[in-house]
Amino acid sequence: MSVARLPSGTAVDGATEAVTAFHRRLAHYRDLISPALLRCLPTGEPQRYLYEPIRSYFEPVGKGLRPALCIAACRAFGGTAERAMVSASALELLHTAFLIHDDIEDGSESRREQPTMHRRYGMPLALNAGDALQALGVRTLLGNLPTLGPLTTFQVLEEFDHLIIESLEGQALELGWIRDNRCDVTEADYLRMILKKTCWYSFIHPSRIGALLAGVAYDQLNRFNRFGYFAGAAFQIQDDLLNLVGDEQRYGKEIGGDLWEGKRTLILAHVFSSADTHERELIHRILSLSRAERSVREVQALSNLIRAHGSLEYARAVGHALALAASRAFEDAFRDAPESEDKQFVRDMVRFLVERDH
Amino acid sequence: MSVARLPSGTAVDGATEAVTAFHRRLAHYRDLISPALLRCLPTGEPQRYLYEPIRSYFEPVGKGLRPALCIAACRAFGGTAERAMVSASALELLHTAFLIHDDIEDGSESRREQPTMHRRYGMPLALNAGDALQALGVRTLLGNLPTLGPLTTFQVLEEFDHLIIESLEGQALELGWIRDNRCDVTEADYLRMILKKTCWYSFIHPSRIGALLAGVAYDQLNRFNRFGYFAGAAFQIQDDLLNLVGDEQRYGKEIGGDLWEGKRTLILAHVFSSADTHERELIHRILSLSRAERSVREVQALSNLIRAHGSLEYARAVGHALALAASRAFEDAFRDAPESEDKQFVRDMVRFLVERDH
């Protein structure tokens, strides 16, 4: 996919208004999901060493993007929020499991404007809490049975099965590339990795599950794959950009963390492909150090190369182009859904993907 | 439960012969399960960063105690090995997920006579591989649907749901006690913790699931809870003993690892309750150090206290008494099953629990 020649900002007429409407609506879905989410947490022992740390992670709750998309897609196709509530909660439980484990794997320091869970409760308890959240996601989905019946409950379980394994495969690629200090990661490699790591679980399956629960035929669900891929890729690239240039308090994570962690982003892939031999050796040497060995000066040198090669602008342009593609794919995927607040929310979400500052 | 006055060795008439028969039969179940287990692993990408590390963990495969118990229980009640194969495989996948994550949480160095997975592949990839194994366990169980139909498939999923959450709750207790340097852990606390951490997933649910798949009525399954609790507790106590006094090559893990890690075992609970004020302060001080800060001399001092208070003998006596209780509970739980090689295997397993050296 060559998108470099598209001008940045193509998708952004009236964007600020859309983003405001989007945030108002997102808060509405979050209010629906928050109590359901807390009901998924067992009230028995051990609270202190397991369920209290987990509960503290839902206060403040995250953006709730995935459950919101699931509920919105369900309603847009004529279903109810109630019907999607269990599956939407499971999506957020699983997302939280991923965040906690990612932070351990990456050695990240802050999340949601607070120290990461392993810094607050120690690595062992945080790792175990992530395992429990993954398991609670499955437990929650088994709760679909009385309402949805066996066929649909199994279909939702299979959607989850696919999204979990894809995400962990994508995560394996990202972690493996860091471990082996791979400096030959291309744009195509990166896009394949984030399809796995981000798009399936954050956009494709939340849409598919919402539509399925509204009664959209199972063989019609693949229409959401294109939409979710473009949207997820735009989202991840914006996330990578915010990590480098964002406002720490708005973003909630440390700025530049990806450089400290050596994450293979589109930005790094662009630098790899633009750098001359001397620069490539420098990048390889800096990235070969562990996070602890890397100094501020070295992270600054990486940052300078990124700016010198226009890699931020490049990534921003790709992100905008993907958001534009997501907009078009959205209109196609949701063509049968009548206009509604829920459908408009998903439409606005695409603008949020590249306009957001956190 | 007070079992201290029972003489050790009560349960062990003809034990060596039983143990030999047990191992022969265990190898038979392992031969059944190994190919099924490898078929659960995806053959697509990423092999290098995900499925190869996992596959390497099944070569050499572990004892395979849990799948063997599941298959044996199924056959003993008139079912077939084929019918239990999927669920038995899922038990081993999940067990492996637990081992990999436990080793990260505990900072353990060796497992199955090899370096632990996080030492071989790095912590981030190992953590992620454990997540994938937990997810593959669920994927595998969804494969029950065509053979077992929706009702039984759901019942097995619910058995798994219970065993996963119980195990992680037990693990949280163990990890939390270490983190907070709790030196007031009693024998009752310990037994409650290992019921959660070990007994459900290693003995109770494998038996329940095997019997369920053979057609034993769902409301009859609680009879396996007593058997599995006694057996699991005897097994865990023997594991704790082997960790202190075993032969490293036979046991496959480092000897004394539990002391380095500060694990709250029955042995430590006994020392806590027997120590005088001065000794209690010494224990508290040694255990307050991190693994890295603890010296050989300090671990030796702990070990000396354990020997001085007869805590090994005490734990051995409790283990034997529990194995005896497990024997009796076995005869009750399996009373409707006609005598067979499979039933005999479970009977012999109880002897193995306290006779084993690895």
Side-chain angles (χ1 to χ4, degrees):
Chain A
M1 178 171 36
S2 175
V3 288
R5 274 161 302 162
L6 283 173
S8 71
T10 310
V12 206
D13 292 338
T16 311
E17 196 183 315
V19 169
T20 310
F22 169 79
H23 279 292
R24 206 168 40 236
R25 192 74 187 163
L26 188 59
H28 163 73
Y29 296 117
R30 198 162 45 229
D31 290 346
L32 288 177
I33 203 73
S34 293
L37 205 53
L38 290 173
R39 276 197 302 274
C40 297
L41 304 185
T43 52
E45 282 305 310
Q47 290 295 312
R48 176 177 170 80
Y49 297 131
L50 184 55
Y51 297 121
E52 278 173 21
I54 288 177
R55 200 167 281 114
S56 78
Y57 224 65
F58 292 125
E59 297 155 349
V61 74
K63 285 190 284 291
L65 213 53
R66 293 151 194 87
L69 179 54
C70 183
I71 294 170
C74 184
R75 276 192 182 157
F77 284 96
T80 62
E82 291 65 40
R83 201 167 159 82
M85 202 57 78
V86 162
S87 310
S89 303
L91 282 167
E92 190 67 11
L93 292 171
L94 190 70
H95 170 58
T96 311
F98 286 159
L99 294 184
I100 294 168
H101 283 187
D102 285 7
D103 285 340
I104 296 173
E105 289 159 359
D106 300 340
S108 299
E109 310 222 319
S110 62
R111 167 78 67 184
R112 295 180 183 170
E113 298 165 52
Q114 298 197 21
T116 46
M117 190 187 271
H118 63 274
R119 285 186 61 210
R120 289 164 73 188
Y121 298 96
M123 180 278 283
L125 284 178
L127 200 172
N128 191 64
D131 288 345
L133 277 160
Q134 183 178 332
L136 287 173
V138 178
R139 166 175 289 188
T140 298
L141 290 177
L142 295 178
N144 268 327
L145 187 61
T147 333
L148 304 186
L151 176 65
T152 310
T153 301
F154 269 110
Q155 286 173 331
V156 174
L157 280 166
E158 287 191 342
E159 295 286 309
F160 263 80
D161 165 54
H162 185 256
L163 73 84
I164 295 181
I165 299 284
E166 285 289 335
S167 305
L168 296 170
E169 288 181 352
Q171 180 73 357
L173 285 174
E174 176 164 83
L175 296 171
W177 291 344
I178 296 174
R179 190 201 61 179
D180 290 352
N181 194 24
R182 292 279 298 271
C183 293
D184 57 351
V185 173
T186 65
E187 180 168 332
D189 294 331
Y190 170 81
L191 290 171
R192 200 160 39 85
M193 182 270 284
I194 63 172
L195 166 62
K196 282 180 167 291
K197 189 189 77 159
T198 304
C199 302
W200 288 110
Y201 101 91
S202 300
F203 292 89
I204 300 174
H205 282 293
S207 310
R208 288 173 61 102
I209 294 167
L212 176 71
L213 296 176
V216 173
Y218 193 78
D219 63 7
Q220 287 293 308
L221 297 181
N222 285 347
R223 60 162 81 172
F224 298 102
N225 298 10
R226 271 173 66 87
F227 160 67
Y229 169 57
F230 291 138
F235 175 83
Q236 185 61 57
I237 289 168
Q238 180 69 3
D239 207 63
D240 297 344
L241 280 163
L242 285 173
N243 190 284
L244 285 183
V245 299
D247 173 330
E248 180 143 348
Q249 217 166 5
R250 298 282 295 155
Y251 180 55
K253 298 187 244 184
E254 61 180 331
I255 299 305
D258 284 354
L259 291 185
W260 285 97
E261 293 160 16
K263 283 233 174 114
R264 269 51 181 173
T265 61
L266 180 64
I267 300 155
L268 266 200
H270 184 260
V271 178
F272 291 154
S273 71
S274 325
D276 64 25
T277 315
H278 172 73
E279 290 170 335
R280 224 188 301 269
E281 277 166 15
L282 178 66
I283 296 168
H284 190 274
R285 192 183 58 74
I286 294 175
L287 291 177
S288 72
L289 304 169
S290 72
R291 187 188 165 121
E293 293 163 343
R294 225 165 267 156
S295 70
V296 175
R297 222 171 50 130
E298 286 160 326
V299 170
Q300 193 56 53
L302 261 188
S303 183
N304 292 343
L305 278 173
I306 286 168
R307 280 161 216 276
H309 285 285
S311 305
L312 295 174
E313 292 70 23
Y314 179 77
R316 211 170 276 126
V318 175
H320 275 276
L322 283 164
L324 186 60
S327 278
R328 289 179 186 152
F330 161 77
E331 298 301 339
D332 180 53
F334 284 71
R335 61 186 180 274
D336 306 336
E339 288 303 320
S340 67
E341 279 193 277
D342 301 287
K343 182 173 177 177
Q344 188 59 40
F345 167 78
V346 184
R347 189 181 279 126
D348 291 342
M349 174 184 282
V350 175
R351 282 171 167 171
F352 163 75
L353 298 176
V354 289
E355 289 299 308
R356 72 198 175 98
D357 58 1
H358 66 291
Chain B
M1 176 167 40
S2 174
V3 287
R5 273 161 305 163
L6 283 172
S8 70
T10 309
V12 207
D13 291 339
T16 311
E17 197 183 318
V19 169
T20 308
F22 169 78
H23 280 292
R24 204 168 42 235
R25 192 74 186 163
L26 188 59
H28 163 72
Y29 296 117
R30 199 161 48 228
D31 290 345
L32 289 177
I33 203 74
S34 293
L37 205 53
L38 290 172
R39 277 197 302 275
C40 297
L41 304 185
T43 52
E45 282 305 309
Q47 290 296 312
R48 178 179 169 79
Y49 298 132
L50 184 56
Y51 297 121
E52 278 173 21
I54 289 177
R55 200 166 281 115
S56 78
Y57 225 64
F58 292 126
E59 296 155 350
V61 75
K63 285 190 285 289
L65 213 53
R66 294 150 193 88
L69 179 53
C70 183
I71 294 171
C74 184
R75 275 192 182 158
F77 285 96
T80 62
E82 292 66 40
R83 203 169 158 81
M85 203 57 76
V86 161
S87 309
S89 302
L91 282 167
E92 190 67 11
L93 291 171
L94 189 71
H95 170 58
T96 312
F98 287 159
L99 293 184
I100 294 168
H101 282 187
D102 285 6
D103 285 339
I104 297 173
E105 290 159 359
D106 300 341
S108 300
E109 311 223 316
S110 61
R111 167 78 67 185
R112 296 181 183 169
E113 297 165 55
Q114 298 198 20
T116 46
M117 191 187 270
H118 63 275
R119 286 186 61 210
R120 289 165 72 187
Y121 298 96
M123 180 276 285
L125 285 177
L127 201 172
N128 192 64
D131 288 345
L133 277 161
Q134 185 178 331
L136 287 173
V138 177
R139 166 174 292 187
T140 298
L141 290 177
L142 294 177
N144 267 327
L145 188 60
T147 333
L148 304 185
L151 176 63
T152 310
T153 301
F154 266 110
Q155 286 173 329
V156 174
L157 279 166
E158 289 192 338
E159 295 287 308
F160 263 81
D161 166 55
H162 185 257
L163 73 85
I164 295 181
I165 299 285
E166 285 289 335
S167 305
L168 296 170
E169 288 180 353
Q171 181 72 357
L173 285 174
E174 176 164 82
L175 296 171
W177 291 343
I178 295 174
R179 190 200 64 179
D180 291 353
N181 194 24
R182 292 279 299 271
C183 293
D184 56 352
V185 172
T186 64
E187 179 168 333
D189 294 331
Y190 169 82
L191 290 172
R192 201 160 37 86
M193 182 271 284
I194 62 171
L195 167 61
K196 283 181 164 292
K197 188 189 78 158
T198 303
C199 301
W200 288 110
Y201 100 93
S202 300
F203 292 89
I204 301 173
H205 282 294
S207 310
R208 287 173 61 101
I209 293 167
L212 175 71
L213 295 176
V216 173
Y218 193 76
D219 63 8
Q220 287 294 308
L221 298 182
N222 285 347
R223 60 162 83 172
F224 298 102
N225 298 11
R226 271 173 67 86
F227 160 66
Y229 170 56
F230 291 138
F235 175 82
Q236 185 61 57
I237 289 167
Q238 181 68 3
D239 206 61
D240 298 345
L241 281 163
L242 284 173
N243 190 286
L244 285 184
V245 298
D247 172 330
E248 181 143 349
Q249 219 169 2
R250 297 284 295 155
Y251 181 54
K253 298 188 243 183
E254 61 180 331
I255 299 306
D258 284 355
L259 291 185
W260 285 97
E261 293 160 16
K263 284 236 172 107
R264 268 50 181 174
T265 60
L266 179 65
I267 301 155
L268 265 198
H270 184 260
V271 178
F272 292 153
S273 72
S274 325
D276 63 28
T277 314
H278 171 72
E279 290 169 334
R280 224 189 301 271
E281 277 166 17
L282 177 67
I283 296 168
H284 190 274
R285 193 183 58 72
I286 294 175
L287 291 177
S288 72
L289 304 170
S290 72
R291 189 189 164 118
E293 294 163 343
R294 226 164 267 156
S295 70
V296 175
R297 221 171 51 133
E298 285 159 328
V299 170
Q300 193 56 54
L302 262 187
S303 183
N304 291 344
L305 277 172
I306 286 167
R307 279 161 216 275
H309 285 284
S311 304
L312 295 174
E313 292 70 25
Y314 178 77
R316 209 170 278 127
V318 174
H320 274 275
L322 284 164
L324 186 60
S327 277
R328 289 179 186 151
F330 161 78
E331 298 301 340
D332 179 54
F334 283 72
R335 62 186 180 274
D336 307 337
E339 288 303 319
S340 68
E341 277 193 278
D342 300 287
K343 182 173 177 177
Q344 188 59 39
F345 167 77
V346 184
R347 189 181 279 129
D348 290 342
M349 174 184 282
V350 176
R351 282 172 169 170
F352 163 76
L353 298 175
V354 289
E355 288 300 308
R356 71 198 175 98
D357 58 1
H358 66 292

